[in-house]
Amino acid sequence: VEVFRISRIVNKWGDRDVSAVGQVWFWLAMGSGVWLNTGRTLVHRGPPPQDEYPSCWEARANGYDTIQLTRSFGGFSFELMDCRGADLPSGRSRWEEACPPSHVELRAGVPAKRYAPAFIDDAVVEERLCGCDSSKSYLNCLVPPPSPPGPPLPPLPPPPPPPLPPPPRPPSPSPPPPGLLSHIQPLAPSIAVATGLALLTASAAAAALLHRTRTTAEQDRRWQRVSCQPLRVQPSSQGSVESREDM
């Protein structure tokens, strides 16, 4: 249906009368050029008593998208309430702007199958989504429709694992007890003398071992020279043979 709406000051706070995000009021206005899809609608066809028509929150609980009051104000007006925002967290927030909240979908043009004799043959007869210019104080279709929501963002990668704790430090060597140092310090000169004597003794033993090694090697060389000389045979006066070895 074609609808119309202007900005207003909210001065009614009852659930059935308040102008809110979840209960947006329109007038039926043929020829406005702004269309609203009524969806599943609840229609009241007579001037109701004060307590006869429900609020949008009651209608939405029963599965309705809109409520049509065909003879409101004593039968002199046709009003329509859009209830599709009643389920939103902000559904009870008041709404005073001429343009409806963003969840209300507006359309412009003429449905393709609608009889419209005022259009000439080459006119474009189609409906399209439109947006409302909020700088105006009346309902309109002067701007492009709001962009549809894009694809959902990919989930964030899992956080990196926490860094490993540093390896434990080796315990520092504990200092010797003060009493032990008091016993060792007087013995330091004696320890130094004993260490020196031990070094001298070790040096003397090493020198003796070296001398002994050299003496043994020299004797070995002499025996080698002796064993390598040839034997000289001389005849003796008695006619026997003597063997002689020069040393």
Side-chain angles (χ1 to χ4, degrees), residues 60 68 111 123 148 152 160 228 245:
R60 193 64 176 163
Q68 297 185 43
C228 292
E245 181 178 344

Side-chain angles (χ1 to χ4, degrees), residues 139-151:
L139 186 67
N140 60 81
C141 266
L142 300 177
V143 295
S147 300

Side-chain angles (χ1 to χ4, degrees), residues 97-119:
E97 302 295 327
C99 294
S102 59
H103 69 273
V104 178
E105 187 178 88
L106 300 177
R107 294 179 177 269
V110 176
K113 294 183 180 181
R114 183 178 177 85
Y115 175 66
F119 283 101

